[in-house]
């Protein structure tokens, strides 16, 4: 186990924000975590688990030991009557798992989740979702290490508290009946259950448009994978070229009365009915309607093709600071609140 000190985190976060960590260990096996916990000095330091760094905003240096998850491995674990269970090391890139399962192995199930940045271990933390599918629909179980005492435990879907971009891994301990594992656990392996009786999920507008454009009414999983990759490339900035952390705010949920009130004033507001009777609004539309698309404050900006994505316009040389990103985010929140009475909630973890 190699301990690096005073480490630059700039290449390790997709926003490209400049910040340093007091120390970092690259975790390649679960044994590396146990070695950290067995070292009195390292064990005493606060820990911060880092995956692909694609869903964080660093607002300063980290006085912590960063555990950089690099646990590898992709394999078919077993077959059940209804599913193929695959297992991935938490340090694998999420898209490598998608491509391996859909393209190399011909296993359907993850195609709508193609090209989402970040690692496999980060996927359950925020219950990633895109184009009509959420991770929880394909999730089987995960193994994690408790960072307080080093014991390994397994969680099944019901224990993960999955919600929209949410799980027990984002919660502080305290809520009744909630494990509250924020900052306390490192995910080491994730297992997914890929359905043998697969049906394409084409309900999302961008995908039904592809069906119409191409005339392919019964696409394969591979075809959907390719469509999702093309849609994302056209709409979302590639962090390799322009720093960002994907959607910066969650899509807010409102009551039917609130929704009617907003429709009364802005008939074009993009809204989706939810199974519980509430409505989800497109935060990107709300931000766009307030005139933010393409705007810049300092070196932070609003992406010009998708107002829900904040970007680092300063590149690697003069990167936006976490403070600039948060100042822009607060200005957006204020204007959306003033116009629509809705409080937008940031989606990435602000550190
Ligand atoms: N819209 C605008 N202007 C904008 C942006 C969006 O009018 O600047 C409208 C679009 O025209 C569309 C609606 O808002 O009618 C929704 O936009 P889009 O389909 O791009 O999806 P989204 O709701 O903005 C969500 C996820 C994305 C995911 C896509 C596709 C959240 C917070 N974001 O975005 O996830 O890829 O749906 O499923 O739920 C992420 O979490 O980082 C992420 C990128």
């Amino acid at each position: 186990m190699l301990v690096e000190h005073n480490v630059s985190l700039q290449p390790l976060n997709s926003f490209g924000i400049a910040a340093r960590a007091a120390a970092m260990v690259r975790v390649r096996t679960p044994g590396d975590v146990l070695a950290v916990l067995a070292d009195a000095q390292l064990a005493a330091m606060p820990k911060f688990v880092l995956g692909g760094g694609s869903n964080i905003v660093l607002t300063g240096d980290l006085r912590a030991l960063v555990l950089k998850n690099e646990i590898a491995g992709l394999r078919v674990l077993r077959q059940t009557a209804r599913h193929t269970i695959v297992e991935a090391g938490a340090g694998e890139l999420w898209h490598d798992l998608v491509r391996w399962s859909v393209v190399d192995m011909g296993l359907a199930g993850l195609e709508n989740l193609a090209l989402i940045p970040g690692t496999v271990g980060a996927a359950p933390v925020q219950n990633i979702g895109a184009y009509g599918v959420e991770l929880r629909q394909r999730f089987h179980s995960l193994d994690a290490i408790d960072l307080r005492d080093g014991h390994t435990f397994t969680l099944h879907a019901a224990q993960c508290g999955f919600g929209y971009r949410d799980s027990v891994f984002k919660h502080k301990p305290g809520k009744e009946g909630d494990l509250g594992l924020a900052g306390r656990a490192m995910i080491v392996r994730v297992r997914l259950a890929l359905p043998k009786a697969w049906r394409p999920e084409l309900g999302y507008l961008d995908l039904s448009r592809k069906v119409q454009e191409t005339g392919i009414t019964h696409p394969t999983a591979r075809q959907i994978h390719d469509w999702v990759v093309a849609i994302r490339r056209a709409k979302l900035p590639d962090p390799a070229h322009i720093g960002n952390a994907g959607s910066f705010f969650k899509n807010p949920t409102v009551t039917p009365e609130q929704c009617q009130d907003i429709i009364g004033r802005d008939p074009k507001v993009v809204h989706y009915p939810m199974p519980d009777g509430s409505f989800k609004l497109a935060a990107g539309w709300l931000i766009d309607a307030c005139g933010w698309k393409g705007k810049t404050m300092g070196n932070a900006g609003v992406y010009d093709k998708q107002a829900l994505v904040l970007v680092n316009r300063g590149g690697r040389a003069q990167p936006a600071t976490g403070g600039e990103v948060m100042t822009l985010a607060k200005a957006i929140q204020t204007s959306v609140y003033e116009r629509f009475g809705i409080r937008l909630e940031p989606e990435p973890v602000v550190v």
Side-chain angles (χ1 to χ4, degrees):
M1 173 187 64
L2 177 74
V3 185
E4 299 167 57
H5 294 276
N6 191 24
V7 182
S8 167
L9 295 175
Q10 193 178 16
L12 303 180
N13 76 95
S14 62
F15 247 119
I17 290 170
R20 305 190 84 80
M24 183 170 90
V25 167
R26 293 177 189 273
V27 174
R28 301 210 164 104
T29 68
D32 290 336
V33 182
L34 303 182
V36 164
L37 297 179
D39 178 305
Q41 226 180 339
L42 297 178
M45 293 178 78
K47 318 282 182 308
F48 183 82
V49 178
L50 185 64
S54 58
N55 203 44
I56 56 170
V57 185
L58 294 167
T59 56
D61 290 342
L62 279 186
R63 276 183 241 265
L65 171 66
V66 169
L67 299 174
K68 170 90 169 62
N69 202 330
E70 297 188 355
I71 299 170
L74 297 172
R75 63 177 177 147
V76 174
L77 193 64
R78 63 173 186 271
Q79 304 289 339
T80 69
R82 292 168 54 205
H83 295 101
T84 301
I85 313 294
V86 299
E87 183 179 75
E92 292 283 351
L93 290 179
W94 172 261
H95 184 65
D96 287 349
L97 164 62
V98 173
R99 202 176 35 205
W100 168 79
S101 61
V102 176
V103 179
D104 300 348
M105 303 300 291
L107 295 167
L110 301 182
E111 53 287 339
N112 294 55
L113 302 174
L115 218 62
I116 295 181
T119 53
V120 167
V125 174
Q126 54 154 344
N127 180 28
I128 56 171
Y131 306 101
V133 176
E134 279 190 353
L135 177 87
R136 67 171 148 190
Q137 294 164 252
R138 304 287 184 248
F139 183 84
H140 180 273
S141 58
L142 60 78
D143 300 332
I145 299 179
D146 188 318
L147 294 175
R148 293 164 304 174
D149 58 14
H151 87 275
T152 300
F153 59 96
T154 298
L155 294 183
H156 287 86
Q159 299 162 294
C160 290
F162 288 132
Y164 167 58
R165 295 297 191 275
D166 197 30
S167 77
V168 288
F169 296 98
K170 276 190 157 182
H171 302 169
K172 294 259 182 284
K175 272 202 232 165
E176 206 182 324
D178 189 320
L179 289 171
L181 292 173
R184 285 164 67 163
M186 179 160 188
I187 297 169
V188 292
R189 278 179 293 269
V190 177
R191 287 172 291 275
L192 299 152
L194 307 178
K196 289 184 175 166
W198 172 81
R199 269 183 296 133
E201 173 53 63
L202 299 166
Y204 202 90
L205 186 65
D206 286 342
L207 282 177
S208 49
R209 231 180 246 148
K210 286 281 183 197
V211 171
Q212 279 167 12
E213 273 166 30
T214 60
I216 303 173
T217 50
H218 292 84
T220 60
R222 171 65 197 266
Q223 178 66 72
I224 295 172
H225 166 279
D226 293 351
W227 283 342
V228 169
V229 166
I231 293 165
R232 289 189 77 99
R233 289 222 166 103
K235 247 191 191 178
L236 297 167
D238 178 351
H241 300 123
I242 180 156
N244 74 90
S247 298
F248 199 89
F249 298 100
K250 293 185 190 182
N251 285 330
T253 303
V254 296
T255 62
E257 295 76 33
Q258 278 173 302
C259 193
Q260 272 314 317
D261 179 51
I262 295 173
I263 292 171
R265 287 180 286 139
D266 285 279
K268 286 193 182 140
V269 64
V270 178
H271 59 287
Y272 317 97
M274 302 303 287
D276 66 358
S278 63
F279 284 85
K280 192 170 266 189
L281 305 182
W285 187 92
L286 300 172
I287 298 167
D288 198 0
C290 292
W292 282 102
K293 203 185 254 180
K295 288 275 164 62
T296 300
M297 274 174 78
N299 281 325
V302 181
Y303 192 52
D304 39 20
K305 292 188 204 139
Q306 181 19 314
L308 195 51
V309 179
L310 303 193
V311 295
N312 166 16
R313 292 209 197 283
R316 296 268 157 204
Q318 285 188 307
T321 62
E324 281 176 320
V325 172
M326 293 314 293
T327 303
L328 173 60
K330 290 205 173 85
I332 291 171
Q333 282 170 315
T334 303
S335 71
V336 168
Y337 183 70
E338 282 172 357
R339 171 144 174 208
F340 298 104
I342 290 169
R343 292 188 198 279
L344 292 182
E345 212 184 299
E347 204 260 299
V349 177
V350 181
V351 191

